[in-house]
Amino acid sequence: MADLATAVTERLLIDAGIREGMRVLDVGCGRGLVSLLLARLVGARGQVVGVDIDSRSLAVARETVQDARITFVEGDFRSLSSEHGLFDAAVGRRVLMYQPDAVEALRGLARVLRPRGLMAFQEHDSTVAPTSLTPLPLHEKVRAWMWRTVEREGGNVHMGFGLASALTRAGLTVEQVRAEAIVQTPAMHHPVGAILRAMLPRILERGVATEEELGIDTIDARLIEERTQADATYIGEMVFGAWARLPR
């Protein structure tokens, strides 16, 4: 079964209209997880181009993602050259929050879309406080590590609430905005350990926590134990999703 975050992303892409035969640009593709989702949706007749400025992440994507429908390109999506052609849609997950000017980034992206082209973005937001009827100190500590890292990197920790506005100001017509919570229970888990492991170099570089404090190898088990002992349901963050189209 897909993890909770992947399921949220997949629903967004399907509802936004990503379908068989489309040519889709995955901006800030990282290690290619969303690219793989897109490849399944566009089918045998479709094509996915993943673009990212991080050569290390792209190296992992090229090594682990073996799919003829997916091409990975190193570069800045805001200034993608015409050699890559036009796309039916552009999608991104946790990308706009790292842009100095999200509106200008979206305007740049619009230049590589076909008329009435689709944009679908998913952005997390730290504004909504973590929620549980029972105190869960380890959960709150892990959440703080992640968001503190993003903030120290200069990321916009409130991009979710600003998503619809950014799309509108970039000249697109927003068709839907939604917000979904990542809900965890004693029996429903979120792969926090894998996320922390991927973020580890960034966490250490920004001085947010030490490897010993993180305890990545046991963090998932400890989080499950904390929820189980408290018999608690936990909402750690809100995930905003929106899709919009270029005007006619």
Side-chain angles (χ1 to χ4, degrees):
M1 185 177 70
D3 67 70
L4 300 175
T6 300
V8 170
T9 302
E10 187 168 21
R11 282 197 300 273
L12 174 69
L13 296 176
I14 292 171
D15 293 348
I18 302 298
R19 61 184 186 277
E20 188 171 353
M22 292 181 77
R23 188 166 191 266
V24 183
L25 179 65
D26 179 12
V27 302
C29 64
R31 300 183 178 193
L33 298 179
V34 175
S35 299
L36 278 171
L37 270 180
L38 290 166
R40 291 204 300 270
L41 295 177
V42 301
R45 297 186 298 109
Q47 183 184 15
V48 177
V49 175
V51 59
D52 204 298
I53 59 174
D54 185 354
S55 58
R56 291 176 299 179
S57 294
L58 283 178
V60 174
R62 287 169 175 147
E63 182 178 345
T64 59
V65 177
Q66 304 297 321
D67 192 311
R69 295 166 295 181
I70 304 174
T71 302
F72 292 110
V73 175
E74 184 174 345
D76 189 334
F77 75 86
R78 296 170 300 180
S79 55
L80 204 62
S81 66
S82 58
E83 68 180 274
H84 299 291
L86 294 178
F87 296 86
D88 300 301
V91 308
R93 181 168 71 173
R94 296 191 298 271
V95 174
L96 297 179
M97 65 193 303
Y98 287 106
Q99 303 306 310
D101 188 327
V103 174
E104 283 304 311
L106 290 168
R107 287 172 178 159
L109 188 57
R111 290 195 291 269
V112 299
L113 290 185
R114 294 189 173 104
R116 292 291 293 160
L118 172 71
M119 285 193 199
F121 278 89
Q122 185 183 82
E123 296 289 337
H124 292 211
D125 198 296
S126 71
T127 305
V128 179
T131 303
S132 174
L133 296 180
T134 306
L136 297 173
L138 181 59
H139 284 69
E140 294 182 15
K141 183 181 290 186
V142 169
R143 182 181 187 272
W145 286 336
M146 292 178 176
W147 280 114
R148 197 171 298 131
T149 300
V150 172
E151 197 162 28
R152 290 184 182 180
E153 291 173 330
N156 180 358
V157 299
H158 307 300
M159 188 64 233
F161 272 104
L163 180 55
S165 174
L167 288 164
T168 300
R169 289 168 57 205
L172 289 93
T173 301
V174 176
E175 296 187 345
Q176 189 174 115
V177 183
R178 62 176 57 161
E180 298 184 65
I182 300 295
V183 180
Q184 299 180 73
T185 72
M188 296 176 63
H189 317 306
H190 190 48
V192 174
I195 296 170
L196 282 177
R197 194 177 299 279
M199 291 183 67
L200 180 59
R202 298 159 53 197
I203 292 172
L204 297 179
E205 182 181 349
R206 300 296 175 179
V208 172
T210 66
E211 289 193 59
E212 185 178 4
E213 288 173 317
L214 294 170
I216 288 176
D217 292 338
T218 62
I219 190 66
D220 283 322
R222 287 185 285 132
L223 289 169
I224 292 169
E225 181 182 14
E226 186 174 67
R227 291 197 306 276
T228 300
Q229 288 184 349
D231 191 22
T233 293
Y234 175 75
I235 296 176
E237 60 187 288
M238 196 67 68
V239 183
F240 286 76
W243 63 87
R245 290 191 181 275
L246 295 179
R248 295 185 184 279

